[in-house]
Amino acid sequence: MRHINVLLAGLYLIGAAQPTASGAAEVRARAVIIPETKAVFGQVQSRTVVPARARIGGTVREIRISEGSEVKEGQVVAVIVDDKIALELAAAQAKIDALKSQLKNARIELERAQQLLQRGVTAQSRFDQAKTQFDVIVNQMAAAEADKSVIEQRAREGEVLAPATGRVLTVPVTEGTVLLPGEEIARIATGRYYLRLSLPERHAAEIVEGATVTIGQRGLSPTKSGSVETAREGRIAKVYPEIASGRVIADVEVSGIGDYFVNERTLVWIPVGKRKVIAVPTAAVRTRQGIDYIRIAIAQGEQDVPVILGETFSDSEEEPLVEVMTGLRDGDRVILP
């Protein structure tokens, strides 16, 4: 575990091995201060989760995604149909057709009035009236075509688009569902994944931004998560100042966390304090009939002492070390095999 290694790098944990009268190597156990870690479960979260919403009301005709699908920004994820839009389009087209007929007649009347005016057999007011009628119908035609364009745009908005690139988390609707404008079609995780920790309030003082934590592999079982010795490193990116229900919330950034499961839990070992331990090389431990022993030198010679072992760690310049919880004292002469 790297954060333990850093603290141990400058400490004389165990004296240099010295040969005993029998020729075996001998070291002295020394009490040192190491970080105390707490194993908690962190939940995988996405930086941002955005909804894909319906832009019009209607009935869901088609859903083109499912939970877990990857989507690109602007991709059509569902189609909503409002049957009234088809009727409105038909009415708009009928109005345009009627105005086209009126426009054709108005153009003929205007051309006739212009010819009569040139011959001098009609008044200027008659020509002006025909031209005004023609202009009115032209403007009505433009307004009707604009109204039809608005209806066509509403029909196109029945296609629900992905607001950003990401992975679909939930699709709370099915085909045939009736929706109102603005209702949610899908939730899409679009941001970078990170771990969120929820720790007891008593550890608030020991949690700081930038601190290093160790993270197990994916999965809840110890066989899948691994041990603290084989865990990956992460960094506390943010500690939230508000304590809710006696819990401190912190975010941890870690590489290789994946991009599929959200709310997946994994083991995280986080430093919450320091403690004094007595440690010896793992080679000093002998196990007989399920009981661990360490041989020490005493005035009368050598003696095997039963011990209870704790955490195992290592220094980059030393062999693996094991914490001795009971059975040894600071300064005991440990005989290596």
Side-chain angles (χ1 to χ4, degrees):
M1 191 169 65
R2 293 187 178 91
H3 62 274
I4 292 181
N5 295 343
V6 173
L7 288 178
L8 294 177
L11 295 175
Y12 289 96
L13 176 65
I14 300 178
Q18 300 294 334
T20 63
S22 61
E26 177 185 303
V27 295
R28 287 189 178 271
R30 291 288 183 266
V32 295
I33 303 297
I34 66 171
E36 182 177 6
T37 60
K38 180 178 180 63
V40 298
F41 282 112
Q43 279 193 320
V44 178
Q45 300 286 339
S46 173
R47 280 294 171 204
T48 54
V49 177
V50 296
R53 297 187 182 277
R55 294 182 288 177
I56 65 171
T59 303
V60 178
R61 178 66 56 82
E62 182 182 0
I63 297 178
R64 301 181 182 179
I65 57 171
S66 61
E67 290 82 352
S69 301
E70 289 189 10
V71 295
K72 302 295 183 181
E73 183 177 357
Q75 177 181 336
V76 178
V77 299
V79 177
I80 298 175
V81 175
D82 186 354
D83 294 334
K84 296 188 298 294
I85 293 181
L87 300 177
E88 292 174 0
L89 277 174
Q93 185 61 48
K95 183 177 181 180
I96 291 174
D97 294 340
L99 288 173
K100 284 182 179 179
S101 299
Q102 294 180 23
L103 182 62
K104 182 178 179 180
N105 292 333
R107 183 179 288 110
I108 294 173
E109 289 294 331
L110 178 61
E111 291 174 353
R112 183 181 294 117
Q114 187 176 9
Q115 293 174 0
L116 294 175
L117 180 64
Q118 291 173 352
R119 296 174 185 175
V121 295
T122 187
Q124 179 70 35
S125 59
R126 178 73 180 84
F127 172 78
D128 292 342
Q129 182 180 2
K131 187 174 185 309
T132 300
Q133 183 67 22
F134 177 80
D135 292 340
V136 168
I137 296 177
V138 168
N139 292 332
Q140 288 178 345
M141 174 69 73
E145 290 178 346
D147 290 339
K148 182 182 177 182
S149 297
V150 171
I151 299 173
E152 290 175 342
Q153 177 61 30
R154 286 175 53 201
R156 287 192 294 269
E157 288 179 353
E159 295 182 342
V160 181
L161 306 180
T165 300
R167 189 175 298 278
V168 178
L169 298 182
T170 58
V171 182
V173 299
T174 60
E175 293 184 4
T177 303
V178 178
L179 299 175
L180 295 175
E183 288 198 60
E184 187 176 280
I185 297 293
R187 291 173 59 247
I188 303 173
T190 62
R192 182 180 177 183
Y193 282 19
Y194 66 99
L195 280 176
R196 172 154 291 180
L197 306 181
S198 178
L199 303 169
E201 183 179 351
R202 64 180 180 274
H203 299 310
E206 288 81 15
I207 303 171
V208 294
E209 293 185 9
T212 301
V213 300
T214 48
I215 301 162
Q217 302 301 318
R218 291 171 58 174
L220 295 181
S221 67
T223 56
K224 292 183 178 179
S225 296
S227 62
V228 67
E229 292 80 11
T230 60
R232 299 171 294 165
E233 281 193 355
R235 183 182 64 87
I236 296 180
K238 188 175 184 62
V239 179
Y240 292 89
E242 183 178 10
I243 297 177
S245 302
R247 311 292 291 183
V248 180
I249 306 299
D251 292 344
V252 175
E253 289 186 351
V254 57
S255 60
I257 199 172
D259 62 352
Y260 191 83
F261 290 109
V262 173
N263 292 330
E264 180 185 20
R265 293 188 295 168
T266 186
L267 274 175
V268 179
W269 290 269
I270 183 169
V272 294
K274 296 179 176 63
R275 60 191 176 94
K276 181 184 292 187
V277 302
I278 295 176
V280 298
T282 54
V285 180
R286 301 173 175 86
T287 303
R288 297 196 303 271
Q289 298 180 350
I291 300 177
D292 296 320
Y293 294 91
I294 292 178
R295 180 165 295 178
I296 63 174
I298 58 176
Q300 295 79 12
E302 298 178 358
Q303 178 183 355
D304 285 342
V305 178
V307 294
I308 297 178
L309 304 179
E311 181 180 345
T312 301
F313 48 90
S314 63
D315 186 359
S316 58
E317 299 180 357
E318 299 283 350
E319 60 182 303
L321 306 171
V322 62
E323 174 190 357
V324 180
M325 302 177 65
T326 62
L328 285 188
R329 292 176 298 179
D330 185 13
D332 280 348
R333 298 159 54 197
V334 177
I335 300 174
L336 299 179

